[in-house]
Amino acid sequence: MAEEEKQSIGFTGHLVNLMDRFTGDKVIFLIALFLMLISVISVFSSTPRLANDTGSDRITIMVDQLKVVAIGFFLIFTLYFVGRADWYKKVSMLGYGASLIVLIILVLKLNLGFVRAGEVNGAWRVLVVAGKQIHIYEFVKLFMIMYLGWALDTFKSGEFKWAPRLAQRFEKLAFLEKDIYQKILYIYFPILSTTLLVMMGSNSSAIFIGIIMVLMVLVGGIDWRDIGVVVAAGLVGIALMFGAYKAGWLKESRIGTAIGRITQDDEATMRQLISSKRESPEWRQARAKLDQPVGALLAIKEGGVWGKGIGRSTQKYQVPVIFGDYMFSFIVEETGLWGAGILLILYFSLLARGTLVAKMCDKYYDKMIVVGLIILVTGQAFMHMAVNVHLPLVPQTGQTLPLVSHGTNSFLVFSVVFGILLAISKDAKENMARKEAEAEPIIEHNWTQDTTA
């Protein structure tokens, strides 16, 4: 009978049983699952131009995406089952060092044999390892959030080791025992140095990473006036880099690209396109500038409320990277405002659920890591959408839609993010269950009845 019962359960029954045994946050897990499903469908439908440019076909691209999704799923479950918050804390202290090493290799354009700096679209932003390109900035985001979680927790508990040891050993370094200098050394300097190094290869990534780190530190309880000093120092650093660019010392950096994007006038570019002879250098230059932002806006407008239907997008043939940096526009074109609404619900739900998990955590490090990772995912999602809808004051720059856009490195990094979130949510739920078990009732009842006369 027992064997017959097992067979009668079926796949759905086994799936339900698996979810019952899943002790991590089920909402966060289901959000990741839905985003991955949307990714497979969207990548298959949005990549005819990519298939043509690479000499491939959409079936092959979809199969490759399925492989990436499978690896991402494996990463999520591995980090969930194996990882514990205490283990992540030990690894987190290496985050800044790892970021510094890979960024210096990029900035100095080093070739170390087994790993070398690589150039993409005129910018040095990838490391080539065994012939494979690794987009370093995707990993730096994660590394620095993990590091700041450790640094903020260690500062709060007063457990920094090297600065106090140096202060005790060398009289001239006695100032390192003061809190302000420890904050500068362990928190503010890593934020500034990382942001400026990233800026050498990608202005948008530098701005995004810098904002995420500052928000995380603010949420962590650091005085906002201290953050003001950091922001002021960052602005001074940017001004110095701009001066060096004007002096001709940083001509190969991305500073010129940033200036061009900030000062870009789409209307003037449109007039240049209309007035120029078709296929002339001026016409091609104007067309290249407008292909992505204007094509993305057209996709959203043509999608309307109901959308054109799955597979019926026309802008996917025009916008060069609609499957990556403009995936939100593509989804709106095919599914309309309903598709946009589903995405917004998923990311807002993640933000709300992450806040709840952070409140359940009993350790400061756990709270900060959850907050930082949630800000990373939702912040990048909303920035991606803001770029796609051409929101004023938002530079037209590339950021993928987390766990949806085509892109192996970004997808795998966000899979790691969700794996860590689920692992910490498991610890948080165990902590809440323990507290509930230990809690005493608000009102003590004595149900013993006196049976004596």
Side-chain angles (χ1 to χ4, degrees), residues 128-173:
V128 181
V129 181
K132 300 291 185 180
Q133 290 186 350
I134 300 176
H135 291 262
I136 289 304
Y137 301 141
E138 299 294 339
F139 292 89
V140 169
K141 297 172 188 175
L142 175 60
F143 292 166
M144 288 306 298
I145 285 175
M146 300 295 287
Y147 169 79
L148 285 176
W150 169 82
L152 290 166
D153 178 69
T154 307
F155 173 76
K156 186 177 178 68
S157 59
E159 296 179 356
F160 285 130
K161 295 179 180 179
W162 288 106
R165 286 178 183 175
L166 289 172
Q168 293 171 7
R169 187 168 183 179
F170 301 100
E171 185 177 347
K172 292 184 178 180
L173 297 178

Side-chain angles (χ1 to χ4, degrees), residues 184-317:
I184 292 173
L185 182 62
Y186 286 97
I187 299 174
Y188 302 149
F189 180 76
I191 290 175
L192 286 172
S193 58
T194 301
T195 303
L196 293 176
L197 285 172
V198 172
M199 189 173 289
M200 300 300 291
S202 173
N203 303 294
S204 61
S205 295
I207 293 170
F208 181 71
I209 292 172
I211 291 174
I212 292 297
M213 290 191 291
V214 168
L215 285 175
M216 185 176 176
V217 172
L218 278 174
V219 174
I222 296 295
D223 195 327
W224 65 268
R225 288 170 294 187
D226 290 349
I227 298 298
V229 173
V230 176
V231 172
L235 292 174
V236 170
I238 292 172
L240 291 174
M241 292 177 68
F242 177 75
Y245 171 79
K246 285 295 186 181
W249 298 338
L250 296 175
K251 285 296 183 183
E252 295 184 4
S253 70
R254 300 286 290 177
I255 297 175
T257 304
I259 296 171
R261 283 176 174 168
I262 293 171
T263 59
Q264 181 174 330
D265 184 346
D266 286 344
E267 291 185 6
T269 306
M270 182 65 76
R271 288 195 295 270
Q272 177 183 333
L273 180 69
I274 295 171
S275 62
S276 301
K277 183 179 179 181
R278 190 176 181 84
E279 302 299 336
S280 67
E282 294 79 14
W283 186 90
R284 290 178 178 275
Q285 183 184 41
R287 174 68 184 271
K289 287 182 179 180
L290 295 173
D291 263 349
Q292 293 185 169
V294 174
L297 287 176
L298 281 173
I300 292 173
K301 183 178 180 180
E302 291 176 0
V305 176
W306 305 105
K308 295 178 177 179
I310 303 297
R312 296 183 177 180
S313 164
T314 55
Q315 291 305 313
K316 63 186 177 185
Y317 300 102

Side-chain angles (χ1 to χ4, degrees), residues 13-23 26 29 77 81:
H14 286 299
L15 185 61
V16 171
N17 289 337
L18 176 64
M19 290 301 295
D20 287 339
R21 293 194 299 269
F22 187 83
T23 58
K26 293 181 177 64
F29 172 71
F77 268 92
F81 282 113

